[in-house]
Amino acid sequence: MASALTSVKANSMKRFVAHFPWMRAPFIVSAPMRIMSGPELALAVSATHGLGFIGPGAKPEDTITDLAKARELLDAAYVKGFDRAIIEGSLPVGAGFQLWNGDIKTAARAVREYRPCAAWLFAPRNGQDELDEWTSALRGAYPDVHIWLQVGTLQEAIDAMNSRTRPDVLVIQGAEAGGHGTAEGAMGLMSLLPEVADTIIGTDMLLFAAGGIADGRGVVAALALGADGVVLGTRFLASREARISKGYQQEIIRASDGAHNTVRTTLYNQLRGTVGWPKKYSPRGITNKSWHEHQAGVPFDDLKKFHDEALRAGDSGWGPEGRLATYAGAAIGLVHSIEPAGKLVEQLRNEAANKLRHLSRL
């Protein structure tokens, strides 16, 4: 029995490596953060033997624009990072799709025309049935696309395992993650990932860990828990290629003590007017004056007025005295500098290798 399970895992990994031939272990992935993960960031990560995802845009059509830009960049400045066979096949970046307010026809068109190597699905309004519909549509548009599904609970992983359109990769997101994630029944990665790994054993899905990983120690810890690779979001917000306001980025590297200075709340959704998220999802972000005054009982109408004034003020709208949403994970205290994304990938890989060598000597 054990040998059969090992064989399934080995075959899954062999298919993964064949599909992403430029990647090197440990497998480092940048998350498809909405708007902020553009083609420059995604390609910089992929060009250094990781895998970068382009995030959803403000409108569904923005994904098509970003994939077109990725193709343009690949054919020019980034061509040296890949051999010709890769360039002429699938686009060596993935695309993220936020299902609850996405458009399946536009998504299928994006995948069919630009052939991203992977499609990341997240936040359905109607659970696994909606995920099945999107998976079928995207695989129909481009059969070689790898489907990555983000889940935040054991039950979501079980639903994916039993679905008629099982994904290629499950991204297991712990409660430490920044931005929007599963709030109902959410668990930390330390307990969630091993239980999922034990439950889906024997399937051909690979597991990637997300949430609270910001350095090589986190990479090694995730691998020890049963992950086949890791996904980072907050760390790549502090990269030169991220599409992010300077004030937002400076707050990422300033803030620390994620347990005290980040919180899950829908307050910033309401202030920004981004309503409609399914109830089970809420975002983690860095607290600021909007949050503290909300806790103190300041009326929402006043908070909204102050928020909109801060929005017009530019970069000063972020920070502890600011009022704008600063979505980030609990590992903010491990992010201290803004670096090129490629350097971050290499740094993470080197840190992980050094940590593994150290542990092998114990």
Side-chain angles (χ1 to χ4, degrees):
M1 178 65 175
S3 61
L5 295 178
T6 301
S7 178
V8 170
K9 187 70 165 182
N11 288 337
S12 297
M13 186 55 69
K14 186 181 298 184
R15 288 193 297 272
F16 181 88
V17 171
H19 191 77
F20 304 101
W22 65 89
M23 294 186 72
R24 293 180 186 171
F27 301 122
I28 309 293
V29 176
S30 63
M33 297 171 286
R34 183 175 181 268
I35 298 176
M36 294 179 283
S37 296
E40 291 84 0
L41 173 55
L43 275 170
V45 172
S46 291
T48 44
H49 309 295
L51 174 59
F53 275 87
I54 292 172
K59 305 184 300 294
E61 297 79 11
D62 292 344
T63 298
I64 294 175
T65 302
D66 279 344
L67 288 172
K69 180 65 173 179
R71 172 55 66 186
E72 177 185 329
L73 291 171
L74 182 65
D75 288 341
Y78 286 89
V79 67
K80 63 183 180 181
F82 307 94
D83 64 37
R84 177 57 59 183
I86 292 173
I87 292 171
E88 293 176 349
S90 296
L91 193 61
V93 298
F97 297 99
Q98 188 173 283
L99 272 57
W100 72 267
N101 65 345
D103 181 78
I104 193 169
K105 292 182 179 179
T106 302
R109 177 190 163 199
V111 168
R112 180 173 58 253
E113 293 184 2
Y114 292 98
R115 298 174 297 168
C117 59
W120 177 309
L121 306 183
F122 168 58
R125 188 178 296 281
N126 299 310
Q128 190 60 50
D129 287 343
E130 189 173 358
L131 290 165
D132 288 340
E133 180 184 9
W134 275 71
T135 300
S136 295
L138 298 187
R139 284 177 172 161
Y142 180 44
D144 285 345
V145 70
H146 255 223
I147 299 298
W148 291 46
L149 173 59
Q150 178 183 325
V151 299
T153 66
L154 176 62
Q155 186 58 55
E156 289 174 330
I158 292 172
D159 290 344
M161 178 179 66
N162 294 329
S163 73
R164 58 183 174 83
T165 61
R166 184 180 291 174
D168 299 287
V169 172
L170 274 183
V171 180
I172 311 303
Q173 188 193 63
E176 306 93 334
H180 287 78
T182 304
E184 296 179 357
M187 295 288 290
L189 197 61
M190 177 68 79
S191 55
L192 177 61
L193 179 56
E195 188 171 10
V196 171
D198 289 349
T199 301
I200 71 162
I201 192 168
T203 73
D204 55 358
M205 295 184 295
L206 296 184
L207 297 182
F208 274 61
I213 302 169
D215 60 16
R217 292 171 295 182
V219 174
V220 173
L223 297 178
L225 292 171
D228 299 297
V230 299
V231 177
L232 297 89
T234 301
R235 187 63 192 93
F236 284 109
L237 286 178
S239 69
R240 291 183 184 174
E241 295 84 353
R243 287 192 301 207
I244 184 173
S245 300
K246 183 179 179 181
Y248 192 139
Q249 196 166 56
Q250 289 297 319
E251 179 64 355
I252 295 293
I253 63 174
R254 181 208 66 82
S256 63
D257 191 358
H260 180 71
N261 292 318
T262 70
V263 66
R264 279 196 180 277
T265 176
T266 60
L267 172 65
Y268 296 98
N269 281 7
Q270 298 163 35
L271 292 172
R272 297 168 66 220
T274 54
V275 297
W277 275 87
K279 183 180 178 182
K280 67 185 291 185
Y281 299 102
S282 69
R284 179 181 295 280
I286 301 172
T287 57
N288 57 22
K289 287 192 75 171
S290 289
W291 168 253
H292 293 303
E293 291 185 356
H294 169 66
Q295 291 292 92
V298 174
F300 178 81
D301 288 346
D302 290 341
L303 294 176
K304 173 65 174 170
K305 181 183 71 173
F306 300 148
H307 171 275
D308 292 350
E309 290 172 354
L311 186 62
R312 292 189 290 271
D315 288 329
S316 63
W318 286 276
E321 297 302 307
R323 295 181 176 277
L324 304 181
T326 315
Y327 296 135
I332 48 171
L334 303 177
V335 181
H336 306 298
S337 63
I338 299 168
E339 307 286 353
K343 180 179 178 180
L344 290 177
V345 174
E346 293 172 351
Q347 181 177 307
L348 288 160
R349 193 172 282 121
N350 291 335
E351 288 175 354
N354 290 337
K355 177 58 68 174
L356 286 169
R357 280 194 290 269
H358 171 74
L359 292 173
S360 70
R361 294 193 294 267
L362 295 180

